[in-house]
Amino acid sequence: MKSNQWILGFVFLTLSSNLFAESTTSVPADIALQRLIDGNNRFTQGKAKRPNQSPERIREVSKKQFPFATIIGCSDSRVPNEIVFDQGLGDLFIIRTAGQVSTYASWGSIEFSVAVLGVNLVVVLGHSKCGAVDAACKSNEVPGHIITLTNAIKPAAEKTKHLEGDWLQNAVKANVALQVTSLRKLDPILSKQYNSGKLLIVGAVYDLETGKVSFLDEDYILSIAK
């Protein structure tokens, strides 16, 4: 009985949070995407505003959070998401693992941001010279659980092995594209929201040398998914 009550309580909380987010603060995907683009432009031009980082903002988000985008990024210390997109406290819901490889905990976190927090934009953010992707391309032996990361990235390495240009950079892009297509198909929450047109799931690559975030073309994502 207690278990059923807990489940019903969670469902009620989820539905309530969705309705509240929808009616008051939920940001449409296209507007959320433009905020990220504008923020990265400010960052690369040395005109960062560093918004929502005041004591007042700390108190505001202590009561409730309404992030406008979810970023699935690499753990690399050189790619701090709030900084490169020039955002502040409570703006972004972030999941980070090496090579932005997603597993059950990551999937649940993404679903939470969409179903409970009302996020309508999910961005898979890779970056140039990614060590995890490089390891997958080289197929070197790695210690411990690192092998789970490289194994997840190997499909992207194999797909780009014979392409012209820099193999690592091609594999970085392909890894992002494959992760995007995987999330678009993830049942039951993401696939439903994506297919309804409410949720936008896109890919991007951050350039370590310039600080620029380049979003992947849809045609490229579809071609890699074949």
Side-chain angles (χ1 to χ4, degrees):
M1 178 64 76
K2 288 184 179 180
S3 177
N4 289 338
Q5 289 176 343
W6 184 91
I7 293 171
L8 288 173
F10 179 77
V11 171
F12 177 78
L13 173 64
T14 300
L15 292 175
S16 299
S17 298
N18 256 340
L19 291 172
F20 185 64
E22 286 265 5
S23 62
T24 59
T25 60
S26 186
V27 178
D30 57 338
I31 295 176
L33 180 59
Q34 192 59 52
R35 283 190 188 179
L36 294 181
I37 293 171
D38 292 344
N40 182 245
N41 285 337
R42 293 194 300 270
F43 171 69
T44 57
Q45 295 168 10
K47 299 178 180 179
K49 295 180 179 178
R50 300 176 181 84
N52 294 331
Q53 298 179 31
S54 65
E56 291 76 18
R57 180 63 169 180
I58 294 174
R59 291 190 289 272
E60 178 186 356
V61 296
S62 72
K63 301 181 181 74
K64 194 75 173 179
Q65 63 166 322
F66 294 106
F68 69 83
T70 293
I71 312 293
I72 301 126
C74 182
S75 298
D76 194 296
S77 63
R78 299 167 292 180
V79 195
N81 297 175
E82 285 93 348
I83 294 177
V84 304
F85 285 117
D86 193 27
Q87 302 300 323
L89 295 170
D91 290 330
L92 304 178
F93 192 87
I94 297 171
I95 299 98
R96 295 178 71 179
T97 59
Q100 65 277 347
V101 172
S102 292
T103 56
Y104 289 100
S106 300
W107 296 330
S109 299
I110 301 165
E111 289 175 335
F112 178 84
S113 73
V114 172
V116 178
L117 300 181
V119 168
N120 295 318
L121 173 66
V122 173
V123 179
V124 178
L125 180 64
H127 67 90
S128 62
K129 303 177 183 178
C130 180
V133 178
D134 188 42
C137 290
K138 293 176 178 176
S139 296
N140 292 337
E141 287 190 15
V142 293
H145 293 88
I146 299 174
I147 189 68
T148 62
L149 300 172
T150 55
N151 282 345
I153 299 170
K154 279 183 180 178
E158 288 299 317
K159 273 184 172 287
T160 54
K161 194 171 186 178
H162 303 293
L163 296 181
E164 294 182 2
D166 184 85
W167 184 17
L168 175 55
Q169 189 60 13
N170 288 337
V172 164
K173 288 179 60 179
N175 185 44
V176 170
L178 290 176
Q179 290 167 348
V180 166
T181 56
S182 177
L183 291 177
R184 289 174 177 178
K185 297 175 183 177
L186 187 64
D187 292 328
I189 295 173
L190 299 189
S191 62
K192 182 178 180 180
Q193 295 285 75
Y194 176 76
N195 290 328
S196 72
K198 179 184 176 183
L199 177 66
L200 183 62
I201 305 175
V202 299
V205 176
Y206 174 80
D207 190 313
L208 290 177
E209 295 184 358
T210 66
K212 181 68 176 176
V213 173
S214 299
F215 286 85
L216 302 186
D217 292 333
E218 184 64 18
D219 288 343
Y220 172 78
I221 293 175
L222 296 177
S223 69
I224 290 295
K226 292 181 179 178

